[in-house]
Amino acid sequence: MQKKLILDSNLLNITVNRLCQQLIENHEDFQQTAILGMQPRGIHLAGMIHNKLEEDTGKKIDLGYLDTTFFRDDFRRRGTPMVANATKMPFIIEDRKVILIDDVLYTGRSVRAALDAMIAFGRPSKVELLVLVNRKYTRHLPIEPDYVGIDVNTIDTQKVLVELEISGGSKNKIWLINKDNK
Amino acid sequence: MSQLSQKHLLGIKDINRKDIELIFETANNFKEVINRPIKKVPSLRDITIANIFFENSTRTKLSFELAEKRLSADVVNFSSSNSSVKKGETLLDTVNNILAMKVDMVVMRHSSPGAAHFLAKNIKANIVNAGDGTHEHPTQALLDTFSIFQKFGSLEGLKVAIIGDILHSRVALSNIFALQKLGAEVMVCGPNTLLPKFISSLGVKVELDVKKALEWCDVANVLRIQLERQHIKYFPSLREYSLYYGINKKLLDSLNKEITIMHPGPINRGVELNSDVADSDHSLILEQVENGVAIRMAVLYLLAENS
């Protein structure tokens, strides 16, 4: 198994800072905006960005978690069953802007499910997508991110591994892994 | 473990602790779903479920139907009172005819113990037992233990007394299995005539005095006197039963501790439970009904994945 480091701790900090600055440019004080991390892995990145934004703007910003398991289109079609996670949405999204956050954008199917899951809570005025790693040329659906940490060219046999301290990793590191041919 | 070990839910006896914990975890998420403004998820949109009820039911049938609809499944209902069963059709023929119409899952209640097991052996669909005679009622036991779990955080070492007509109760048997698998201690309490002969072989304590049972337990699950199944007299009169085994506020106040009261419904008010207890803050009864929908959603969702 070959591993290639695509973002180390230092670069990740710079990237997250840049993403936060881009968000501030478009959302100013975030009073009409809510941040939604996608379960299970997007919530840690959402937490990091949320903390940084609150620090930078000095304002309280709404943060929620969205689980998409029950809205997926591959139920009964995938080999390994998925376990549902908690959804936490302690605010109203009707007529507000929502920033969906996930760690890796691959086929786009999770994001489609997330859009469906989100609509059950109301009709946002605008939805944006932020991802840390955008895997290019792998989309199954016409979905593209508004904010990208890093673009990578990958093939199907490769995997992106995101290790974050906040989610129990030893260091902030993002790897590109070539899966073994079995 | 993210998958049930069984293809059917026939009884709590057939599933293991990990299965129960997975069902609880999933039900917890569905409980959040049914409190949303839009209470529906599209998970089972390509699945058809037949609810086949050979015996009367209000709560269970409604609860299953709501659970199915909130998962976006297509639902067909069948009750024996207005069907060809009256014309002499066998159970297997009835169900096979329904399956020929491409049904994926069957939820069945039947008055014969083992009816669900019989079906599971003979047909291909996933079977959910919604009560088979005096045998098992697994989803009721799951929602009872889930309600206790949500209130106490764990069932390990908790003392639960099941009080009332144990002999005719499928809820009692399923509850005993579920509670024991989750590490709780179980006691059954009722008049001698309403306790099955070898019940202590299941590893439960047996008590005839309701006050002693209440003093022992943390949770009391009170069962209904099932007059419709009692073909001979088991006690002199309902009034006398109520006098010796009915639970009222005065009795609870005489204990020096708080007890959580549960009841699977329907309640015969004034017989096994007085209104001053059923409607009190210690009662989990309406919580049980809400959890019933979430538990049944979880069971159907997890079984659908196992088909």
Side-chain angles (χ1 to χ4, degrees):
Chain A
M1 190 171 69
Q2 288 178 309
K3 260 172 130 184
K4 185 184 152 202
L5 191 66
I6 51 176
L7 267 187
D8 65 11
S9 192
N10 217 354
L11 266 176
L12 183 78
N13 267 340
I14 294 170
T15 306
V16 169
N17 281 342
R18 170 175 55 82
L19 289 170
C20 289
Q21 293 308 321
Q22 286 177 326
L23 287 172
I24 291 170
E25 251 179 34
N26 291 339
H27 294 268
E28 292 173 16
D29 63 356
F30 288 86
Q31 294 315 292
Q32 280 308 307
T33 305
I35 295 176
L36 263 188
M38 284 167 58
Q39 288 273 25
R41 283 180 295 272
I43 62 169
H44 304 297
L45 178 67
M48 272 169 80
I49 288 178
H50 175 258
N51 290 348
K52 183 92 187 71
L53 285 174
E54 281 198 338
E55 221 173 83
D56 290 354
T57 59
K59 293 265 164 60
K60 193 118 192 57
I61 301 171
D62 285 333
L63 169 70
Y65 306 142
L66 186 66
D67 184 60
T68 62
T69 312
F70 302 134
F71 293 83
R72 292 190 65 93
D73 58 5
D74 54 356
F75 179 63
R76 303 172 80 215
R77 290 169 180 83
R78 55 180 178 248
T80 47
M82 275 180 72
V83 179
N85 293 291
T87 291
K88 206 175 101 192
M89 189 102 70
F91 45 81
I92 290 169
I93 58 167
E94 184 82 26
D95 271 339
R96 297 179 70 196
K97 292 184 199 168
V98 172
I99 306 162
L100 272 180
I101 297 185
D102 206 356
D103 60 349
V104 181
L105 178 60
Y106 178 35
T107 61
R109 286 183 190 266
S110 300
V111 176
R112 188 215 59 80
L115 291 171
D116 258 7
M118 192 181 54
I119 300 302
F121 292 90
R123 181 181 183 271
S125 61
K126 187 175 185 189
V127 184
E128 293 180 333
L129 176 63
L130 180 152
V131 295
L132 189 55
V133 181
N134 178 26
R135 296 182 64 168
K136 293 170 83 180
Y137 314 118
T138 53
R139 220 71 79 232
H140 293 175
L141 297 166
I143 284 172
E144 286 305 322
D146 299 284
Y147 308 94
V148 178
I150 179 172
D151 282 314
V152 287
N153 291 337
T154 58
I155 48 175
D156 278 345
T157 53
Q158 289 174 320
K159 207 183 149 192
V160 175
L161 177 70
V162 178
E163 285 180 354
L164 296 178
E165 278 171 35
I166 196 171
S167 63
S170 58
K171 269 218 157 136
N172 288 336
K173 274 182 183 166
I174 298 176
W175 304 87
L176 188 61
I177 298 177
N178 285 317
K179 282 189 241 170
D180 291 333
N181 291 328
K182 281 177 190 166
Chain B
M1 237 342 240
S2 55
Q3 205 168 3
L4 293 181
S5 62
Q6 301 290 319
K7 208 183 138 217
H8 311 284
L9 182 66
L10 305 176
I12 302 292
K13 197 178 178 181
D14 310 312
I15 60 175
N16 57 42
R17 183 174 178 149
K18 280 203 169 128
D19 290 331
I20 300 178
E21 284 167 351
L22 176 63
I23 293 171
F24 282 5
E25 196 185 329
T26 313
N28 203 17
N29 291 312
F30 279 124
K31 199 172 170 182
E32 185 269 318
V33 169
I34 57 179
N35 283 301
R36 287 180 192 173
I38 298 176
K39 300 167 176 52
K40 209 168 164 136
V41 293
S43 306
L44 299 195
R45 66 196 144 199
D46 53 353
I47 289 197
T48 309
I49 303 177
N51 297 319
I52 307 182
F53 280 73
F54 291 96
E55 228 187 24
N56 291 337
S57 163
T58 320
R59 213 170 324 265
T60 307
K61 194 172 170 195
L62 210 61
S63 179
F64 264 113
E65 204 174 328
L66 263 181
E68 289 151 4
K69 288 184 169 163
R70 297 210 159 135
L71 288 166
S72 304
D74 289 320
V75 180
V76 285
N77 284 308
F78 165 97
S79 62
S80 63
S81 54
N82 46 14
S83 71
S84 291
V85 175
K86 287 267 185 291
K87 300 175 193 164
E89 195 176 39
T90 65
L91 168 63
L92 198 55
D93 279 343
T94 304
V95 176
N96 267 330
N97 273 287
I98 295 170
L99 289 186
M101 300 174 204
K102 305 293 170 221
V103 168
D104 306 289
M105 292 173 99
V106 175
V107 174
M108 185 178 74
R109 167 167 290 189
H110 200 281
S111 55
S112 301
H117 288 78
F118 171 74
L119 263 201
K121 271 187 206 144
N122 288 289
I123 64 171
K124 261 170 56 188
N126 302 87
I127 312 287
V128 182
N129 182 2
D132 55 340
T134 54
H135 181 220
E136 280 228 43
H137 190 353
T139 54
Q140 180 70 44
L142 288 170
L143 75 91
D144 287 346
T145 42
F146 181 60
S147 304
I148 301 174
F149 175 76
Q150 291 227 310
K151 173 151 188 184
F152 291 89
S154 161
L155 276 84
E156 205 67 57
L158 208 69
K159 292 173 176 164
V160 183
I162 305 173
I163 300 170
D165 184 354
I166 313 293
L167 185 63
H168 299 98
S169 175
R170 50 189 170 219
V171 177
L173 191 61
S174 289
N175 256 292
I176 291 170
F177 290 138
L179 288 164
Q180 288 181 336
K181 284 185 181 184
L182 293 168
E185 280 185 70
V186 188
M187 174 185 279
V188 293
C189 171
N192 232 337
T193 49
L194 289 177
L195 295 176
K197 234 179 184 171
F198 300 106
I199 188 84
S200 55
S201 65
L202 289 177
V204 298
K205 290 187 167 55
V206 180
E207 178 60 62
L208 301 178
D209 184 340
V210 74
K211 190 159 184 210
K212 281 188 188 156
L214 290 173
E215 268 165 1
W216 174 83
C217 71
D218 304 305
V219 179
N221 197 350
V222 187
L223 305 180
R224 181 176 63 94
I225 293 295
Q226 306 208 12
L227 285 176
E228 75 277 17
R229 291 188 210 279
Q230 299 182 0
H231 303 303
I232 55 168
K233 273 243 178 243
Y234 289 91
F235 48 84
S237 71
L238 273 182
R239 219 175 108 179
E240 189 162 333
Y241 178 83
S242 164
L243 208 60
Y244 284 98
Y245 287 95
I247 296 177
N248 52 40
K249 192 162 182 295
K250 207 173 136 200
L251 178 62
L252 289 185
D253 285 345
S254 72
L255 313 166
N256 44 14
K257 62 173 189 174
E258 279 184 9
I259 290 178
T260 301
I261 300 288
M262 303 175 69
H263 193 298
I267 309 176
N268 288 330
R269 283 176 187 259
V271 181
E272 67 270 5
L273 265 192
N274 256 19
S275 289
D276 52 11
V277 175
D279 306 328
S280 73
D281 292 345
H282 304 311
S283 149
L284 270 187
I285 298 171
L286 289 177
E287 186 78 15
Q288 285 172 271
V289 180
E290 181 187 347
N291 287 339
V293 178
I295 279 284
R296 288 178 176 115
M297 285 173 86
V299 166
L300 294 167
Y301 175 82
L302 292 167
L303 284 179
E305 198 153 38
N306 256 8
S307 54

